[in-house]
Amino acid sequence: MQTPPAPASSPASAPLMSHRQILFVIFGLMAGMFLSALDQTIVGTSMRTIADDLDGMSLQAWVTTAYLIVSCISTPIYGKLSDIFGRRPLFLIAITVFLIGSLLAGMSHSMYELAVFRAIQGLGAGGLMALPLTIMGDMLAPRERAKYQGYFLAVFGISSVIGPLIGGVLSGATTILGITGWRWVFLINIPIGIVALIIVIRFLHIPHFKRPVRIDWWGAVTVIVAAVPLLLVAEQGRTWGWWAFTSVACYVTGVLGIILFIVAERLMGDDALIPLKLFRSATFSMATVLGVFVGFGMFGAMMTVPLYLQLVNGATPTESGFMMLPMILGLMISSIVSGQVIARTGKYRVFPTLGTAFMAGGFFLFTFATADKPVWFMMSGMLLVGLGLGQLMQTLTIASQNSVGPRDIGVATSASTFFRQIGGTLGTAVLFSVLFTRIPDTLGAAFGNPTIVAGVKAAAADPAVLADPANAGILALLQNPAGLGTALDGDTSFLNAADPRLSQPFLVGFNDATVTVFWVSLVVVLIAFVLSLFLKVDPLRKTSAMQEAADEHAAAKATERASEAMIAQHAADTMGALVEPGLDTDEFERPGRA
């Protein structure tokens, strides 16, 4: 019997994409991610103007919540569907849905409409956040990936800096090209998105090898049942009351959803939305847990620090965006440096520990903040936090991707992003809850400080202070002390340009409440630091997931052909001639022979 030919893997082992093709794809992915990252910072800066114009200040939280919830729950769904149907169609769908949502949001006539349209945007944003890193995981080996991921963090950093500036300019304009200024906050996404679509359609051609799968419909339903109530209560619990009937109903529904989700994923096995087998990897499990804590600290810093700069340091939203530059600079520097080190050495074990240590150092510095500290003090802490984040964001993603096989890159990346978003949502909700719970106490303590009170009384007795309209808001509050505890819950513009002696107790009170928030963040990051010491890392693969999948596909085809050849040869050897053995065939040689 002939020996079957060995599977020929050399054609499959040739690079599937050139460096030039990879760069063009990265440009398209960066444009898509820029859409999502820029949108969040622009809208945050402009929300007050939008709410005033649509007469719905009390409803603005729902606009944010709708976007956040839908983007969060759609992230793992995009990851799984892209594993099944390919990255390119899902990424194009994500961009298109986001642009449709942007167009509709720019045409909103009420806060209710805006909340619905922001939810549509969030449906696209879930793919814009998860798929670029997934596609990177496909194209590049883990060691190479670290070099390129610095570009994505640069996009994140740039959008964080220019977002508040653009948002302030657009929302501050009465009209632009005959359209109300704030509507351009959403409409500006259209040209950026069209560029992203063109690049993706032209250059993003990643081979996709089909395989038989089941779509995890029950997983998609149960993850919504689990995540939506918990995210909703995290965002709205402070308003409803943490133990109000609505909040308790959300807790119960969320826990029930988690149980049903685990059952559904166990039954679906490898075809699950988030396969439970991923958590058998100690590396993936620890990276996921670290991602939750890092998301908590990251979003906590990025949400509370700008607010602190605006209220305590008197910065405008645009100015506070520029003051965040040290954090962005630190993030970019540490990302690029760690990426180069990982690419050259293939080692990344030290970066999660160093990253959490830097973040802890930044939050520890924040705990010494006082209302009279100069701006550079806070900026020093921001630099440390940024240096930590830059080492963590890419290494945790690389660790998650490197711990799974090529067929699970999508679900691993989206699961990592999903849990980091969950951590960020919890961080924002918990820290703001702590902040506004502490403010009445810290304001009371500030107004009980003899030195501060003496300054307030001196200012209140000054005729020039009494005659200045900028002081009217504080003077009205001083005449009604019962409202002092909630004075910072809503509009804080009464502090703008007020006499420093009158505003001092409010600034001191807010500073002291924020310091409590920084202590909570510090504890969370220190827990992450301890956990990072137990992170087990696998050697980084030198082959991309796309190349591995192509090689596996080629090997499977070669094996199939070899198997078919063996079967054919075996049939020939077994069957032989189509005549019974031992039969005299002479009589059949000449017809008509007697």
Side-chain angles (χ1 to χ4, degrees), residues 69 73 219-234 240 245-263 418-419 422 426:
I69 287 176
I73 62 177
V221 171
T222 53
V223 76
I224 293 172
V225 174
V228 169
L230 296 180
L231 291 173
L232 197 59
V233 75
W240 296 341
F245 175 79
T246 307
S247 298
V248 172
C250 285
Y251 300 144
V252 173
T253 306
V255 171
L256 180 62
I258 291 174
I259 296 172
L260 293 175
F261 177 72
I262 293 174
V263 172
F418 172 72
F419 285 109
I422 292 290
L426 291 175

Side-chain angles (χ1 to χ4, degrees), residues 584 586-594:
D584 184 6
D586 289 344
E587 58 180 305
F588 301 111
E589 289 180 359
R590 289 186 295 274
R593 179 180 178 182

Side-chain angles (χ1 to χ4, degrees), residues 383-394:
L383 178 62
L384 289 175
V385 172
L387 288 171
L389 283 174
Q391 297 177 68
L392 287 163
M393 291 176 67
Q394 68 169 332

Side-chain angles (χ1 to χ4, degrees), residues 33 37 129 133 145-146 149-150 152-157 160 287 290-291 294-295 297-299 302 327-328 330-332 334-335 338 342 348 351-352 355-356 359 385-401 413 416-417 420:
M33 184 171 276
M129 288 185 281
L133 294 178
R145 205 175 303 154
Q149 284 188 348
F152 289 90
L153 294 180
V155 168
F156 180 80
S160 299
L290 285 172
V294 169
M298 178 179 71
F299 279 84
M302 299 192 73
M327 182 183 294
I328 306 307
L331 187 150
M332 293 171 64
S334 60
S335 171
S338 61
I342 293 171
Y348 63 100
F351 293 116
T356 49
M359 283 189 70
V385 172
L387 288 171
L389 283 174
Q391 297 177 68
L392 287 163
M393 291 176 67
Q394 68 169 332
T395 52
L396 292 179
T397 301
I398 289 174
S400 297
Q401 293 177 335
T413 307
S416 176
T417 306
R420 187 164 60 239

Side-chain angles (χ1 to χ4, degrees), residues 550-580:
D551 289 349
E552 288 180 8
H553 182 73
K557 286 291 186 183
T559 302
E560 182 181 345
R561 288 194 297 268
S563 177
E564 290 174 353
M566 289 176 63
I567 292 172
Q569 183 65 46
H570 179 68
D573 292 342
T574 302
M575 297 291 292
L578 298 178
V579 179
E580 183 179 354

Side-chain angles (χ1 to χ4, degrees), residues 89-161:
L90 267 296
F91 195 48
L92 291 173
I93 289 172
I95 296 175
T96 303
V97 171
F98 187 85
L99 293 183
I100 292 172
S102 299
L103 180 62
L104 293 173
M107 300 166 62
S108 301
H109 293 92
S110 71
M111 290 295 280
Y112 292 106
E113 286 186 5
L114 183 58
V116 172
F117 299 149
R118 283 289 283 166
I120 296 175
Q121 271 190 297
L123 185 61
L128 296 181
M129 288 185 281
L131 292 177
L133 294 178
T134 302
I135 295 171
M136 287 279 287
D138 287 329
M139 293 191 304
L140 302 168
R143 285 185 63 161
E144 291 183 82
R145 205 175 303 154
K147 294 188 296 185
Y148 291 95
Q149 284 188 348
Y151 297 151
F152 289 90
L153 294 180
V155 168
F156 180 80
I158 292 171
S159 66
S160 299
V161 173

